[in-house]
Amino acid sequence: MAADLNHVVLIGRLTRDSELKYTTSGLAIANFSIAVNRRRKNGEQWIEEASFFEISLFGKSAETLKPYLVKGKQVAIDGELRQDRWEQDGQPRSKVVVVANNVQLLGGNSGGSASGYNSTQSSRSAYQPRGGMEPSVSTGGYDSESYDQSYGSSDSFPEDIPF
């Protein structure tokens, strides 16, 4: 049987400040929503439409980005769709939310200093200032610290690189 694919990438602006909650086991969950604008032509006139998406971010990433996830902030979300199902007043209910695997803060509504933040899925984190970049959190993928330990520091490249 072929594997299914569940991957979504969105860029939009927060419609409200993020809300940080904790599960009974202590897992942090940040919930927020974004509006993604789209322009389309209707006859000779351009019409702007907005779509709204609920986003959930888990773990250390949720705690770290909480101060930056404020209404109006532009973000890029890389994640997957999840359908939540429950029963309310005897009626089945459901909604689709985006579970973020990676959140990148983009321009707009930022008054703080520029810095960078990376974390891995195992919740190990390292704060690394990067000039001119906004904070971002990745919950998986490349981990420069473990790469440097395994393959040597990126400063150990020979001086005669042919490109």
Side-chain angles (χ1 to χ4, degrees):
M1 185 184 306
D4 296 329
L5 179 65
N6 181 358
H7 190 125
V8 62
V9 177
L10 300 167
I11 296 177
R13 294 192 181 273
L14 273 75
T15 61
R16 59 178 160 63
D17 292 354
S18 69
E19 180 181 297
L20 187 63
K21 294 182 177 181
Y22 292 88
T23 64
T24 54
S25 63
L27 177 67
I29 304 171
N31 292 308
F32 54 97
S33 63
I34 64 171
V36 177
N37 294 318
R38 173 181 164 228
R39 290 184 70 196
R40 65 177 179 88
K41 198 166 187 177
N42 186 7
E44 294 297 315
Q45 186 178 11
W46 285 96
I47 298 174
E48 296 231 4
E49 295 178 337
S51 297
F52 300 92
F53 299 96
E54 292 290 323
I55 313 293
S56 293
L57 179 63
F58 293 88
K60 185 76 172 166
S61 304
E63 293 174 318
T64 303
L65 283 180
K66 165 68 173 125
Y68 303 102
L69 296 173
V70 294
K71 182 177 180 176
K73 182 69 178 170
Q74 188 178 36
V75 294
I77 307 291
D78 180 6
E80 59 188 56
L81 299 176
R82 182 188 67 211
Q83 185 175 19
D84 289 338
R85 296 180 182 106
W86 71 96
E87 194 170 299
Q88 182 178 357
D89 299 327
Q91 298 295 319
R93 305 276 184 187
S94 71
K95 74 176 182 177
V96 174
V97 297
V98 176
V99 176
N101 294 326
N102 187 0
V103 174
Q104 176 72 48
L105 300 178
L106 303 175
N109 286 0
S110 63
S113 62
S115 60
Y117 178 88
N118 291 314
S119 76
T120 61
Q121 202 163 22
S122 64
S123 296
R124 289 185 327 153
S125 63
Y127 181 77
Q128 301 170 344
R130 296 185 216 157
M133 293 186 70
E134 290 283 348
S136 69
V137 171
S138 173
T139 56
Y142 174 74
D143 179 6
S144 61
E145 184 178 323
S146 62
Y147 179 87
D148 288 348
Q149 290 173 357
S150 300
Y151 299 103
S153 171
S154 60
D155 296 335
S156 63
F157 290 115
E159 293 297 321
D160 56 343
I161 296 176
F163 51 90

